[in-house]
Amino acid sequence: MKNCSLKGRPGLKTAVLAAVLGLLAASAGATTLADIYAAAERINQQAKESQAKVDELNSETRDLYQDYKIVLAEIENLRIYNRQLERQVATQEAQISEITENMGKVSDIQRDVVPLMDRMVIALEQLIDNDMPFHMTERRDRLEHLRDVLDNPDVAVSEQFAAVLNAYQIENDFGRSMTAYTDEIEVGGTHRVVEVLQVGRVALMYQTTDAEETGFYNKQERRWVELDDSFQAAVRTGLRMAKKQAGQNLLPVPILVEG
């Protein structure tokens, strides 16, 4: 075998060295570009991730800002509501103060009203006793009930006074009413069941169920008195009018004229 020494061949040595350097340079250049591309890709990916985080933060910031504005509006509404409540509380405190002051006067009013009601009931009893005797059972029962109300400590004074006024109103209405009802009366010492016609406080008349006897209550003599037959038809008509069985019309009644 021949010895392949490069001695004495300077041109060949130069060519081989150049080829090796070229290969090394090519290898070094390829490694650097790959690293650069990889680094660029990593940078782009990081930039995308950073932009996504920025977008997410922007969205959260907008949401927080909207929540902040809502909270500010609620706070303002609460301030308005609190001011309104303060005015209402001030008004209620003034009313409580007025009520408290008035309550101090209630006892004074009650001291005046209670004896007044007693006097009114006594006057009402005297009125019924001295009046014409119409609806006497009803009127006396109402008077007795009124006394029970005034004696009941569980009934407020205001309700007691309202009951007294109501009794007076009913008695007052009798003066403008015309009623018919069945009752037992005494005529000439004899008790009989009759139909009674009450015409306000102007006249109080009766008629037997067979219409054979007609009479009236004599206020001066305070007794029932029989009338002649001239009032028979008028009283019969008046009874029908009071029962809503006939239309309203003029009605002759016996009236005593003091001489």
Side-chain angles (χ1 to χ4, degrees):
M1 177 179 289
K2 294 182 179 180
N3 188 7
C4 294
S5 175
L6 296 179
K7 292 181 180 179
R9 296 183 181 180
L12 182 57
K13 291 180 180 179
T14 302
V16 171
L17 180 61
V20 172
L21 291 176
L23 289 173
L24 291 175
S27 176
T31 300
T32 301
L33 288 175
D35 291 341
I36 290 173
Y37 289 145
E41 183 65 24
R42 289 194 299 273
I43 292 172
N44 289 335
Q45 185 62 33
Q46 291 176 355
K48 291 179 181 179
E49 293 175 356
S50 298
Q51 184 61 42
K53 291 182 178 179
V54 169
D55 293 340
E56 182 179 356
L57 290 174
N58 284 338
S59 177
E60 292 179 356
T61 301
R62 285 193 297 270
D63 293 342
L64 289 174
Y65 181 66
Q66 292 298 327
D67 293 341
Y68 173 71
K69 290 196 298 183
I70 293 173
V71 170
L72 287 180
E74 291 178 351
I75 291 174
E76 182 61 25
N77 290 336
L78 287 175
R79 287 175 179 171
I80 296 173
Y81 180 66
N82 287 337
R83 287 196 294 268
Q84 182 179 0
L85 286 181
E86 289 174 357
R87 290 193 296 269
Q88 291 178 353
V89 168
T91 301
Q92 290 175 351
E93 288 178 347
Q95 291 175 346
I96 291 173
S97 177
E98 182 179 357
I99 291 173
T100 303
E101 181 181 355
N102 290 335
M103 286 179 63
K105 302 176 182 178
V106 170
S107 58
D108 296 336
I109 296 174
Q110 288 182 351
R111 283 196 296 268
D112 295 334
V113 170
V114 171
L116 172 63
M117 291 190 296
D118 289 337
R119 293 194 298 270
M120 292 176 69
V121 171
I122 293 173
L124 186 62
E125 182 179 14
Q126 293 174 349
L127 169 65
I128 295 174
D129 289 340
N130 296 323
D131 201 4
M132 292 188 296
F134 57 84
H135 298 292
M136 291 304 292
T137 301
E138 172 190 338
R139 296 164 79 187
R140 288 206 167 102
D141 287 346
R142 185 181 300 108
L143 188 64
E144 189 64 27
H145 173 71
L146 191 57
R147 289 197 182 94
D148 292 339
V149 170
L150 296 185
D151 292 338
N152 190 346
D154 295 329
V155 180
V157 174
S158 59
E159 296 180 13
Q160 293 175 343
F161 191 67
V164 173
L165 292 180
N166 182 61
Y168 267 83
Q169 183 62 53
I170 293 174
E171 286 294 330
N172 183 59
D173 291 340
F174 278 135
R176 299 188 298 269
S177 65
M178 182 169 69
T179 62
Y181 60 96
T182 301
D183 199 1
E184 182 179 345
I185 65 174
E186 180 182 347
V187 183
T190 303
H191 291 271
R192 63 191 66 185
V193 177
V194 298
E195 286 190 284
V196 178
L197 175 63
Q198 173 248 332
V199 183
R201 284 186 166 86
V202 175
L204 187 63
M205 296 165 284
Y206 77 90
Q207 193 169 80
T208 56
T209 55
D210 58 7
E212 291 297 324
E213 181 181 324
T214 303
F216 80 109
Y217 183 77
N218 188 317
K219 291 189 292 183
Q220 294 180 358
E221 300 178 3
R222 298 184 63 81
R223 65 186 182 92
W224 293 95
V225 178
E226 185 178 353
L227 290 168
D228 57 47
D229 293 340
S230 62
F231 285 95
Q232 184 183 52
V235 173
R236 185 167 57 250
T237 300
L239 289 170
R240 295 180 65 243
M241 290 168 55
K243 296 176 182 178
K244 311 299 182 185
Q245 297 174 352
Q248 299 297 312
N249 204 341
L250 294 177
L251 181 68
V253 295
I255 298 177
L256 295 176
V257 179
E258 298 182 4

